[in-house]
Amino acid sequence: MKMNFSRIMRLLALRHRDQEAIVNVERNRRYTYEQYHLLTNRIADVLRSVLQVRTGERFMLILENDNLSLMMFPSTFKQEGTVVMTNLRDPLEEHARQIELVKPRVGFGEPRLLDSYYGMLRSRGCDIVVRAPPTLAQAALPGVHNFWSLVEAASDLDNDVTLDTDQHICMLRFTGGTTGKGKCAMYSIDNWMACRDAAFINTDLGLSSATRLLHVSPLSHGTLMLFFPTVYGGGTNLTMNQLDMESWRQSVESERVSHSFLVPTVLYRLLEMQRAAPKDFSSLTTLIYGAAPMSPDKLGELVECFGQIFVQGYAATEAPMVISALDKAAHRPGDAAALRHLSSAGRPTPGVEVFIADSDGKPLPIGETGEIRIRCKAIIKGYYENPEATAAEFDDGAWKSGDLGYIDADGYLYIVDRLKDMIISGGFNVYAVEVEAALAAHPSVLMAAVVGIPHAEWGEAVHAEVILRQGETVTSEELIAQTRTRLGGYKAPKSLVFVDELPTSVVGKVLRRQVREKYWQNLLRKIS
């Protein structure tokens, strides 16, 4: 199917003309739907007429959330090029690796990056667009452009660009890389339309023209999935550039935020802050969490503090939509019947095919644990310039998630662990997430990371690193004993250390791989 997104956005602008579409909290930039439509027309004209990005060519974004919000849909759908999303917080070396792979024609970056990135980008043939006026010396450099000067000179008229929603690769995005170097996922427009539709099918998300959704995680990552449906629903996307929870709390209060997406590690810290110094969160109707499992015990504390406003979403870079959701009604602390479901990822979105497979790809019966496989319209087109990885991770139209899980008799999907985070100790399988949940159930524990470390007899031994809540004390022996009581002796940590911090990704996931690497250094084999 072919579509013209200038016309689509024009209709949205007519429908929601004076409603705020975009609010950049830190820069205090505000655009109504009418203004956002005209601005994104100009940006598309810059890409086509000035920078001359053509079909099959790529442009890369290395930007903060505020600036990313102007380069999202609809800008990218109003022109023929392919946008490459990156993580601003990645080091130059990682960006260089990504640029070498995708070979963008243009790079959009923050001004502070120009001095260190200029030589690398120009050596690879990239024009550079900076998002604030460069210094006189920077402006004199060949190939450097001022974004706002280009935009102000561009046309704001609707264009005649028509794109094939199934065949056109509108976006490239790198996987999180929690188990190694990220791969480059390819997206069609239909992938993102499936993301939009799933958000409306899951009615508990409550997206509408009244929505004011605050993005604090990078828009290049998971929170991007909420951007599309918020625009289509006529709501407001608000952005912050830094993961500063005190600023987040102030913004929720002052901007009357209704929705936000946070990962469990951030929610735990928010709980502590709200208990110590409450803010007015009366506007907040929906807190969406995902990207990592949450301890049912901690979830109960969150519901008691904030109310029954939580929705869990299960998704992935390779499947950018709500694959399954645990709705608000299921979040009932103290309810014995609901407690078991609190540890699930909810029920699959209607229309999404989720099944559990054995190592040969054969479907397993209800209740049996295997790899979660998914078929839906959001499944990506494969990995860019990586046919081997594409062949390895996709089978008969299904994405092999690498997540171990099962579906119970009520249709709830349970994620037991990542395949690569499974610990094999003395011949027994131990799932890190299960041990972490048992540790997090202790009132003194803020968060934990569990990994397998080398052991001469068992191959791997279960080991935990734990962060305590401020002012709390507990011994390692007490925590190990609690875990043994909950899970049994072979699953309990054989060693436990207290740490001040754990390595996390930019979206707040604990990076078990980095914890594990400390214990497997200089060994040829990294698992038992």
Side-chain angles (χ1 to χ4, degrees), residues 22-105:
I22 299 293
V23 174
N24 301 147
V25 172
E26 292 172 31
R27 287 183 168 87
N28 195 29
R29 294 189 307 218
R30 296 172 185 269
Y31 299 92
T32 66
Y33 270 80
E34 176 68 16
Q35 293 167 337
Y36 189 49
H37 172 55
L38 297 176
L39 174 63
T40 53
N41 274 357
R42 289 178 181 272
I43 294 171
D45 187 56
V46 166
L47 285 162
R48 302 181 72 222
S49 303
V50 180
L51 301 173
Q52 298 191 357
V53 178
R54 304 303 184 205
T55 302
E57 294 183 322
R58 291 155 297 284
F59 59 97
M60 178 175 276
L61 309 181
I62 314 175
L63 299 171
E64 295 174 335
N65 269 359
D66 284 354
N67 288 326
L68 271 176
S69 72
L70 309 186
M71 300 294 294
M72 309 298 294
F73 165 83
S75 296
T76 53
F77 289 6
K78 290 181 175 181
Q79 53 78 54
E80 300 94 330
T82 298
V83 62
V84 183
M85 292 288 183
T86 68
N87 190 329
L88 177 65
R89 297 177 179 86
D90 279 342
L92 186 149
E93 293 77 13
E94 177 62 14
H95 287 147
R97 184 187 75 82
Q98 295 169 353
I99 288 167
E100 195 65 37
L101 174 65
V102 303
K103 297 176 176 56
R105 181 180 180 88

Coordinates of all heavy atoms in Angstrom, one line a residue, residues 22-105:
I22 N 3.9 18.8 20.5 CA 5.2 18.5 21.1 C 5.5 19.6 22.1 O 5.3 20.8 21.9 CB 6.3 18.6 19.9 CG1 6.0 17.6 18.9 CG2 7.7 18.5 20.5 CD1 6.2 16.1 19.3
V23 N 6.1 19.2 23.2 CA 6.6 20.1 24.3 C 8.0 19.6 24.6 O 8.2 18.5 25.1 CB 5.7 20.1 25.5 CG1 6.3 21.0 26.6 CG2 4.3 20.7 25.2
N24 N 9.0 20.5 24.4 CA 10.4 20.2 24.8 C 10.6 20.9 26.2 O 10.8 22.1 26.2 CB 11.4 20.7 23.8 CG 11.2 20.1 22.4 OD1 11.5 20.7 21.4 ND2 10.8 18.8 22.4
V25 N 10.5 20.1 27.2 CA 10.4 20.7 28.6 C 11.7 21.5 28.9 O 11.6 22.6 29.4 CB 10.3 19.5 29.6 CG1 10.4 20.1 31.0 CG2 8.9 18.9 29.5
E26 N 12.8 21.0 28.6 CA 14.1 21.7 29.0 C 14.4 22.9 28.1 O 14.9 23.9 28.6 CB 15.2 20.7 29.0 CG 15.1 19.6 30.1 CD 16.1 18.5 29.9 OE1 17.3 18.8 29.5 OE2 15.8 17.4 30.3
R27 N 14.0 22.8 26.9 CA 14.2 24.0 26.0 C 12.9 24.9 25.9 O 13.0 25.9 25.3 CB 14.5 23.5 24.6 CG 15.9 22.9 24.4 CD 16.2 22.5 23.0 NE 17.6 22.2 22.8 CZ 18.2 21.0 23.0 NH1 17.5 20.0 23.5 NH2 19.5 20.8 22.8
N28 N 11.8 24.5 26.5 CA 10.6 25.2 26.6 C 10.1 25.6 25.2 O 9.7 26.7 24.9 CB 10.7 26.5 27.4 CG 9.3 27.0 27.7 OD1 8.4 26.3 27.8 ND2 9.3 28.4 27.9
R29 N 10.2 24.6 24.3 CA 9.7 24.7 22.9 C 8.3 24.0 22.9 O 8.2 22.9 23.3 CB 10.6 24.1 21.9 CG 12.0 24.8 21.7 CD 12.8 24.3 20.5 NE 12.9 22.9 20.5 CZ 14.1 22.3 20.1 NH1 15.1 23.0 19.7 NH2 14.2 21.0 20.1
R30 N 7.3 24.7 22.3 CA 6.0 24.1 22.2 C 5.4 24.3 20.8 O 5.5 25.4 20.3 CB 5.1 24.8 23.3 CG 5.5 24.6 24.7 CD 4.7 25.4 25.7 NE 5.3 25.2 27.0 CZ 4.9 24.3 27.9 NH1 3.9 23.5 27.6 NH2 5.5 24.1 29.1
Y31 N 4.9 23.2 20.3 CA 4.4 23.2 18.9 C 3.0 22.7 18.9 O 2.7 21.6 19.4 CB 5.2 22.4 18.0 CG 6.6 22.9 17.8 CD1 7.7 22.4 18.7 CD2 7.0 23.9 16.9 CE1 9.0 22.8 18.6 CE2 8.3 24.3 16.8 CZ 9.3 23.8 17.6 OH 10.6 24.2 17.5
T32 N 2.0 23.4 18.4 CA 0.7 22.9 18.2 C 0.7 21.9 17.0 O 1.7 21.8 16.3 CB -0.3 24.0 17.9 OG1 0.0 24.6 16.6 CG2 -0.3 25.1 19.0
Y33 N -0.4 21.2 16.8 CA -0.4 20.3 15.7 C -0.2 21.0 14.3 O 0.4 20.5 13.4 CB -1.7 19.4 15.7 CG -1.6 18.2 16.5 CD1 -1.6 18.2 17.9 CD2 -1.3 17.0 15.8 CE1 -1.5 17.0 18.6 CE2 -1.1 15.8 16.5 CZ -1.2 15.8 17.9 OH -1.0 14.7 18.6
E34 N -0.8 22.2 14.2 CA -0.7 22.9 13.0 C 0.8 23.3 12.8 O 1.4 23.2 11.7 CB -1.5 24.2 13.0 CG -1.4 25.1 11.8 CD -1.9 24.6 10.5 OE1 -2.6 23.6 10.6 OE2 -1.5 25.1 9.4
Q35 N 1.4 23.8 13.9 CA 2.8 24.2 13.8 C 3.8 23.0 13.5 O 4.7 23.1 12.8 CB 3.2 25.0 15.1 CG 2.6 26.3 15.3 CD 2.7 26.8 16.7 OE1 3.0 26.0 17.7 NE2 2.6 28.1 16.9
Y36 N 3.4 21.9 14.2 CA 4.3 20.7 14.0 C 4.2 20.2 12.6 O 5.2 19.8 12.0 CB 3.8 19.7 15.0 CG 4.7 18.4 15.1 CD1 6.1 18.6 15.3 CD2 4.1 17.2 15.1 CE1 6.9 17.4 15.4 CE2 4.9 16.0 15.2 CZ 6.3 16.2 15.4 OH 7.1 15.1 15.5
H37 N 3.0 20.3 12.0 CA 2.9 19.8 10.6 C 3.7 20.7 9.7 O 4.5 20.2 8.8 CB 1.4 19.9 10.2 CG 1.2 19.7 8.7 ND1 1.6 18.5 8.1 CD2 0.6 20.4 7.8 CE1 1.3 18.6 6.8 NE2 0.7 19.8 6.6
L38 N 3.7 22.0 9.8 CA 4.4 22.9 9.0 C 5.9 22.8 9.2 O 6.7 22.8 8.3 CB 4.0 24.4 9.2 CG 2.5 24.7 8.8 CD1 2.2 26.1 9.2 CD2 2.3 24.4 7.4
L39 N 6.3 22.6 10.5 CA 7.7 22.4 10.8 C 8.3 21.1 10.1 O 9.4 21.1 9.5 CB 7.9 22.4 12.3 CG 9.4 22.0 12.8 CD1 10.4 23.1 12.3 CD2 9.4 21.9 14.3
T40 N 7.5 20.0 10.3 CA 8.0 18.8 9.7 C 8.0 18.8 8.2 O 8.8 18.1 7.5 CB 7.2 17.6 10.3 OG1 5.8 17.8 10.1 CG2 7.5 17.4 11.8
N41 N 7.1 19.6 7.6 CA 7.2 19.8 6.1 C 8.5 20.4 5.8 O 9.1 20.0 4.8 CB 6.0 20.7 5.7 CG 4.7 19.9 5.4 OD1 4.7 18.7 5.4 ND2 3.7 20.6 5.0
R42 N 8.9 21.4 6.5 CA 10.2 22.1 6.3 C 11.4 21.2 6.4 O 12.3 21.2 5.6 CB 10.3 23.3 7.2 CG 9.4 24.5 6.9 CD 9.6 25.6 7.9 NE 8.7 26.7 7.7 CZ 9.0 27.7 6.9 NH1 10.1 27.8 6.2 NH2 8.1 28.7 6.7
I43 N 11.3 20.3 7.5 CA 12.4 19.4 7.7 C 12.5 18.4 6.6 O 13.6 18.1 6.1 CB 12.3 18.7 9.1 CG1 12.4 19.7 10.2 CG2 13.3 17.6 9.2 CD1 12.0 19.2 11.6
A44 N 11.4 17.9 6.1 CA 11.4 17.0 5.0 C 11.9 17.7 3.7 O 12.7 17.1 2.9 CB 10.0 16.5 4.7
D45 N 11.6 19.0 3.5 CA 12.1 19.7 2.4 C 13.6 19.9 2.5 O 14.3 19.8 1.4 CB 11.4 21.0 2.3 CG 11.7 21.8 1.0 OD1 11.5 21.2 -0.1 OD2 12.2 22.9 1.1
V46 N 14.1 20.1 3.6 CA 15.6 20.2 3.8 C 16.3 18.9 3.4 O 17.3 18.9 2.7 CB 15.9 20.6 5.3 CG1 17.4 20.4 5.6 CG2 15.5 22.0 5.6
L47 N 15.7 17.8 3.9 CA 16.3 16.5 3.6 C 16.3 16.3 2.1 O 17.3 15.8 1.5 CB 15.6 15.4 4.3 CG 15.9 15.3 5.8 CD1 14.8 14.5 6.5 CD2 17.3 14.7 6.0
R48 N 15.2 16.6 1.4 CA 15.1 16.3 0.0 C 15.8 17.3 -0.9 O 16.6 17.0 -1.8 CB 13.6 16.3 -0.4 CG 12.8 15.3 0.4 CD 11.3 15.3 -0.1 NE 11.2 14.7 -1.4 CZ 10.4 15.2 -2.4 NH1 9.7 16.3 -2.2 NH2 10.3 14.6 -3.5
S49 N 15.6 18.6 -0.7 CA 16.0 19.7 -1.6 C 17.4 20.2 -1.3 O 18.1 20.5 -2.3 CB 15.0 20.8 -1.6 OG 13.7 20.4 -1.9
V50 N 17.8 20.3 -0.1 CA 19.1 20.9 0.3 C 20.1 19.8 0.5 O 21.2 19.8 -0.2 CB 19.0 21.8 1.5 CG1 20.3 22.4 1.9 CG2 17.9 22.9 1.3
L51 N 19.8 18.8 1.3 CA 20.8 17.8 1.6 C 20.7 16.6 0.6 O 21.6 15.8 0.5 CB 20.5 17.2 3.0 CG 20.6 18.3 4.1 CD1 20.2 17.7 5.5 CD2 22.0 18.8 4.2
Q52 N 19.6 16.6 -0.2 CA 19.5 15.7 -1.3 C 19.7 14.2 -0.9 O 20.4 13.5 -1.5 CB 20.5 16.1 -2.4 CG 20.2 17.5 -3.0 CD 21.0 17.8 -4.3 OE1 21.8 17.0 -4.7 NE2 20.7 18.9 -4.8
V53 N 19.0 13.9 0.2 CA 18.9 12.5 0.6 C 17.8 11.8 -0.3 O 16.7 12.2 -0.3 CB 18.5 12.4 2.1 CG1 18.4 10.9 2.5 CG2 19.6 13.1 2.9
R54 N 18.2 10.8 -1.0 CA 17.4 10.1 -1.9 C 16.9 8.7 -1.4 O 17.4 8.3 -0.4 CB 18.1 9.9 -3.3 CG 18.6 11.2 -3.9 CD 17.5 12.2 -4.1 NE 18.0 13.4 -4.8 CZ 17.4 14.6 -4.7 NH1 16.4 14.8 -3.9 NH2 17.9 15.6 -5.3
T55 N 16.0 8.1 -2.2 CA 15.6 6.8 -1.8 C 16.8 5.8 -1.7 O 17.6 5.8 -2.6 CB 14.6 6.2 -2.9 OG1 13.5 7.1 -3.0 CG2 14.1 4.9 -2.5
G56 N 16.8 5.1 -0.6 CA 17.9 4.1 -0.4 C 19.1 4.8 0.3 O 20.0 4.0 0.8
E57 N 19.1 6.1 0.5 CA 20.2 6.7 1.2 C 19.7 7.0 2.7 O 18.6 7.0 3.0 CB 20.5 8.1 0.6 CG 21.1 7.9 -0.8 CD 21.6 9.2 -1.4 OE1 20.8 10.2 -1.3 OE2 22.6 9.2 -2.1
R58 N 20.7 7.2 3.6 CA 20.5 7.2 5.0 C 21.0 8.5 5.6 O 21.9 9.1 5.2 CB 21.1 6.0 5.6 CG 20.5 4.7 5.3 CD 21.4 3.5 5.4 NE 22.6 3.6 4.5 CZ 22.6 3.3 3.2 NH1 21.4 3.0 2.6 NH2 23.6 3.5 2.4
F59 N 20.3 8.9 6.7 CA 20.7 10.1 7.5 C 20.7 9.6 8.9 O 19.7 9.0 9.4 CB 20.0 11.3 7.2 CG 18.5 11.3 7.5 CD1 17.9 11.7 8.7 CD2 17.6 10.8 6.5 CE1 16.5 11.6 8.9 CE2 16.2 10.7 6.7 CZ 15.7 11.1 7.9
M60 N 21.7 10.0 9.7 CA 21.8 9.5 11.1 C 21.6 10.6 12.1 O 22.0 11.7 11.9 CB 23.3 8.9 11.3 CG 23.6 8.4 12.7 SD 25.2 7.7 12.8 CE 24.8 6.0 12.3
L61 N 20.9 10.2 13.2 CA 20.6 11.2 14.3 C 21.4 10.8 15.5 O 21.3 9.7 16.0 CB 19.1 11.1 14.6 CG 18.1 11.2 13.4 CD1 16.7 11.2 13.9 CD2 18.4 12.5 12.6
I62 N 22.2 11.8 16.0 CA 22.9 11.6 17.3 C 22.4 12.8 18.1 O 23.1 13.8 18.3 CB 24.4 11.6 17.1 CG1 24.8 10.6 15.9 CG2 25.1 11.1 18.4 CD1 26.3 10.6 15.6
L63 N 21.2 12.7 18.7 CA 20.6 13.8 19.3 C 19.9 13.5 20.6 O 19.6 12.4 21.0 CB 19.4 14.3 18.3 CG 19.8 14.7 16.9 CD1 18.6 14.9 16.0 CD2 20.6 16.0 17.0
E64 N 19.7 14.6 21.4 CA 19.0 14.6 22.6 C 17.5 14.4 22.3 O 17.0 14.7 21.2 CB 19.2 15.9 23.4 CG 20.6 16.1 23.9 CD 20.8 17.4 24.6 OE1 20.0 18.4 24.2 OE2 21.7 17.6 25.4
N65 N 16.7 14.0 23.3 CA 15.3 13.8 23.1 C 14.5 15.0 22.5 O 13.7 14.9 21.6 CB 14.6 13.4 24.4 CG 14.6 11.9 24.6 OD1 15.1 11.1 23.8 ND2 14.0 11.5 25.8
D66 N 14.8 16.2 23.0 CA 14.1 17.4 22.5 C 14.3 17.5 21.0 O 13.3 17.8 20.3 CB 14.6 18.7 23.2 CG 14.1 18.8 24.6 OD1 13.3 18.0 25.0 OD2 14.6 19.8 25.3
N67 N 15.5 17.3 20.5 CA 15.7 17.5 19.1 C 15.3 16.2 18.3 O 14.8 16.4 17.2 CB 17.2 17.7 18.9 CG 17.6 19.1 19.3 OD1 16.8 20.1 19.2 ND2 18.8 19.3 19.8
L68 N 15.4 15.1 18.9 CA 14.8 13.9 18.3 C 13.3 14.0 18.0 O 12.8 13.5 17.0 CB 15.1 12.6 19.2 CG 16.4 11.9 19.0 CD1 16.5 10.8 20.0 CD2 16.5 11.3 17.6
S69 N 12.6 14.6 18.9 CA 11.2 14.7 18.8 C 10.8 15.4 17.5 O 9.7 15.2 17.0 CB 10.5 15.4 20.0 OG 10.8 16.8 20.0
L70 N 11.6 16.3 17.0 CA 11.3 17.0 15.7 C 11.7 16.2 14.5 O 11.3 16.6 13.4 CB 12.0 18.4 15.7 CG 11.9 19.2 17.0 CD1 12.5 20.6 16.7 CD2 10.4 19.4 17.4
M71 N 12.4 15.1 14.7 CA 12.9 14.3 13.6 C 12.2 13.0 13.5 O 12.6 12.1 12.8 CB 14.4 14.1 13.7 CG 15.2 15.4 13.7 SD 15.2 16.3 12.1 CE 16.0 15.1 11.0
M72 N 11.1 12.8 14.3 CA 10.4 11.6 14.3 C 9.3 11.6 13.2 O 9.3 12.5 12.4 CB 9.8 11.4 15.7 CG 10.7 11.6 16.9 SD 12.0 10.4 16.9 CE 11.1 8.9 17.1
F73 N 8.4 10.6 13.3 CA 7.2 10.7 12.5 C 6.6 12.0 13.0 O 6.5 12.3 14.2 CB 6.2 9.6 12.8 CG 4.9 9.8 12.4 CD1 4.5 9.6 11.1 CD2 3.9 10.3 13.2 CE1 3.2 9.9 10.6 CE2 2.6 10.6 12.8 CZ 2.3 10.4 11.5
P74 N 6.2 12.9 12.0 CA 6.0 12.6 10.6 C 7.2 13.1 9.7 O 7.2 12.8 8.5 CB 4.8 13.5 10.3 CG 4.9 14.7 11.2 CD 5.4 14.1 12.5
S75 N 8.2 13.7 10.3 CA 9.3 14.2 9.4 C 9.9 13.1 8.6 O 10.1 13.2 7.4 CB 10.5 14.7 10.3 OG 10.1 15.9 11.0
T76 N 10.2 11.9 9.2 CA 10.8 10.8 8.5 C 9.9 10.2 7.4 O 10.4 9.5 6.5 CB 11.3 9.8 9.5 OG1 10.3 9.4 10.3 CG2 12.5 10.3 10.3
F77 N 8.6 10.3 7.6 CA 7.7 9.7 6.6 C 7.3 10.6 5.5 O 6.6 10.2 4.6 CB 6.4 9.2 7.3 CG 6.6 8.0 8.3 CD1 7.8 7.5 8.5 CD2 5.5 7.4 8.9 CE1 8.0 6.4 9.4 CE2 5.6 6.3 9.7 CZ 6.9 5.8 10.0
K78 N 7.8 11.9 5.6 CA 7.4 12.8 4.5 C 8.5 12.9 3.5 O 8.5 13.8 2.6 CB 7.2 14.2 5.2 CG 5.9 14.3 6.0 CD 5.7 15.7 6.6 CE 4.4 15.9 7.3 NZ 4.3 17.2 7.8
Q79 N 9.5 12.1 3.5 CA 10.6 12.1 2.6 C 11.1 10.7 2.3 O 10.7 9.8 3.0 CB 11.8 13.0 3.1 CG 12.3 12.7 4.5 CD 13.2 11.5 4.5 OE1 14.2 11.5 3.7 NE2 12.9 10.6 5.3
E80 N 12.0 10.5 1.3 CA 12.3 9.2 0.8 C 13.5 8.5 1.5 O 13.7 7.3 1.4 CB 12.6 9.2 -0.7 CG 11.5 9.8 -1.5 CD 11.6 11.3 -1.8 OE1 12.1 12.0 -0.9 OE2 11.1 11.7 -2.8
G81 N 14.3 9.2 2.3 CA 15.5 8.6 2.9 C 15.1 7.8 4.1 O 14.0 7.7 4.6
T82 N 16.1 7.1 4.6 CA 16.0 6.2 5.7 C 16.7 6.8 6.9 O 17.9 7.1 6.9 CB 16.6 4.8 5.4 OG1 16.0 4.2 4.3 CG2 16.6 3.9 6.7
V83 N 16.0 7.0 8.0 CA 16.6 7.5 9.2 C 17.3 6.5 10.0 O 16.8 5.3 10.1 CB 15.5 8.2 10.1 CG1 14.5 7.3 10.6 CG2 16.2 9.0 11.3
V84 N 18.5 6.8 10.6 CA 19.2 5.9 11.4 C 19.2 6.4 12.8 O 19.8 7.5 13.1 CB 20.7 5.7 10.9 CG1 21.4 4.7 11.7 CG2 20.7 5.3 9.4
M85 N 18.6 5.7 13.7 CA 18.5 6.1 15.1 C 19.8 5.6 15.8 O 20.2 4.4 15.7 CB 17.3 5.5 15.8 CG 16.0 6.0 15.3 SD 15.8 7.7 15.9 CE 14.1 8.0 15.3
T86 N 20.4 6.4 16.6 CA 21.5 6.0 17.5 C 21.2 6.5 18.9 O 20.3 7.3 19.2 CB 22.8 6.7 17.0 OG1 22.8 8.1 17.2 CG2 23.1 6.4 15.5
N87 N 22.1 6.0 19.8 CA 22.0 6.4 21.2 C 23.0 7.5 21.4 O 24.2 7.3 21.3 CB 22.3 5.2 22.1 CG 22.0 5.5 23.5 OD1 22.1 6.6 24.0 ND2 21.5 4.5 24.2
L88 N 22.6 8.7 21.8 CA 23.5 9.8 22.1 C 24.6 9.5 23.1 O 25.7 10.0 23.0 CB 22.7 11.0 22.5 CG 23.5 12.3 22.9 CD1 24.2 12.9 21.7 CD2 22.6 13.3 23.5
R89 N 24.2 8.6 24.0 CA 25.1 8.3 25.1 C 26.2 7.3 24.8 O 27.1 7.0 25.5 CB 24.3 7.8 26.4 CG 23.4 8.9 26.9 CD 22.6 8.4 28.1 NE 21.7 9.4 28.6 CZ 20.5 9.7 28.2 NH1 20.0 9.0 27.2 NH2 19.8 10.6 28.8
D90 N 26.1 6.7 23.6 CA 27.1 5.7 23.1 C 28.4 6.5 22.9 O 28.4 7.7 22.5 CB 26.7 5.0 21.8 CG 25.8 3.9 22.1 OD1 25.7 3.4 23.2 OD2 25.1 3.4 21.1
P91 N 29.6 5.9 23.1 CA 30.8 6.5 22.8 C 31.1 6.7 21.3 O 30.5 6.1 20.5 CB 31.9 5.6 23.4 CG 31.2 4.2 23.3 CD 29.8 4.5 23.5
L92 N 32.0 7.6 21.0 CA 32.4 7.9 19.6 C 32.8 6.6 18.9 O 32.4 6.4 17.7 CB 33.5 8.9 19.6 CG 33.9 9.4 18.2 CD1 34.5 10.8 18.3 CD2 35.0 8.5 17.5
E93 N 33.5 5.7 19.5 CA 33.9 4.5 18.9 C 32.7 3.6 18.4 O 32.8 3.0 17.3 CB 34.8 3.7 19.8 CG 36.1 4.3 20.2 CD 36.0 5.4 21.2 OE1 34.9 5.6 21.8 OE2 37.0 6.1 21.3
E94 N 31.7 3.6 19.2 CA 30.5 2.8 18.8 C 29.8 3.5 17.7 O 29.3 2.8 16.7 CB 29.5 2.6 20.0 CG 28.2 1.9 19.7 CD 28.4 0.5 19.2 OE1 29.5 -0.1 19.3 OE2 27.4 -0.1 18.7
H95 N 29.7 4.8 17.7 CA 29.0 5.6 16.6 C 29.8 5.4 15.3 O 29.3 5.2 14.3 CB 28.9 7.0 17.0 CG 27.8 7.3 18.0 ND1 27.9 8.3 18.9 CD2 26.6 6.7 18.2 CE1 26.8 8.4 19.6 NE2 26.1 7.4 19.2
A96 N 31.2 5.4 15.5 CA 32.0 5.1 14.3 C 31.7 3.8 13.7 O 31.7 3.6 12.4 CB 33.5 5.3 14.7
R97 N 31.6 2.8 14.5 CA 31.3 1.4 14.0 C 29.9 1.4 13.3 O 29.8 0.8 12.2 CB 31.2 0.4 15.2 CG 31.0 -1.0 14.8 CD 30.8 -1.9 16.0 NE 29.5 -1.8 16.6 CZ 28.4 -2.4 16.2 NH1 28.5 -3.2 15.1 NH2 27.3 -2.2 16.8
Q98 N 28.9 2.1 13.9 CA 27.6 2.2 13.2 C 27.7 2.9 11.9 O 27.0 2.5 10.9 CB 26.6 2.8 14.2 CG 26.4 2.0 15.5 CD 25.6 2.8 16.6 OE1 25.4 4.0 16.4 NE2 25.3 2.1 17.6
I99 N 28.4 4.0 11.9 CA 28.5 4.8 10.6 C 29.2 4.0 9.6 O 28.8 4.1 8.4 CB 29.2 6.1 10.9 CG1 28.3 7.1 11.8 CG2 29.7 6.8 9.7 CD1 29.0 8.2 12.4
E100 N 30.2 3.3 9.9 CA 30.9 2.4 8.9 C 30.0 1.4 8.3 O 30.1 1.1 7.1 CB 32.1 1.7 9.6 CG 33.1 1.1 8.7 CD 33.8 2.2 7.8 OE1 34.1 3.2 8.4 OE2 34.1 1.9 6.6
L101 N 29.0 0.9 9.1 CA 28.1 -0.1 8.6 C 27.0 0.5 7.7 O 26.8 0.0 6.6 CB 27.4 -0.8 9.8 CG 26.2 -1.8 9.4 CD1 26.8 -2.9 8.7 CD2 25.5 -2.2 10.7
V102 N 26.4 1.6 8.1 CA 25.2 2.1 7.4 C 25.6 3.2 6.4 O 24.8 3.5 5.5 CB 24.1 2.7 8.4 CG1 23.7 1.6 9.3 CG2 24.6 3.9 9.1
K103 N 26.8 3.8 6.5 CA 27.3 4.8 5.5 C 26.2 5.9 5.3 O 25.7 6.1 4.1 CB 27.7 4.1 4.2 CG 28.8 3.1 4.4 CD 29.2 2.4 3.2 CE 30.4 1.5 3.3 NZ 30.2 0.5 4.4
P104 N 25.9 6.7 6.3 CA 24.9 7.8 6.1 C 25.4 8.9 5.2 O 26.6 9.2 5.2 CB 24.6 8.2 7.5 CG 25.9 8.0 8.2 CD 26.4 6.7 7.6
R105 N 24.5 9.5 4.5 CA 24.9 10.7 3.7 C 25.0 11.9 4.6 O 25.8 12.8 4.3 CB 23.8 10.9 2.6 CG 24.1 12.1 1.7 CD 23.0 12.3 0.7 NE 23.2 13.4 -0.2 CZ 23.9 13.3 -1.3 NH1 24.5 12.2 -1.7 NH2 24.1 14.4 -2.1

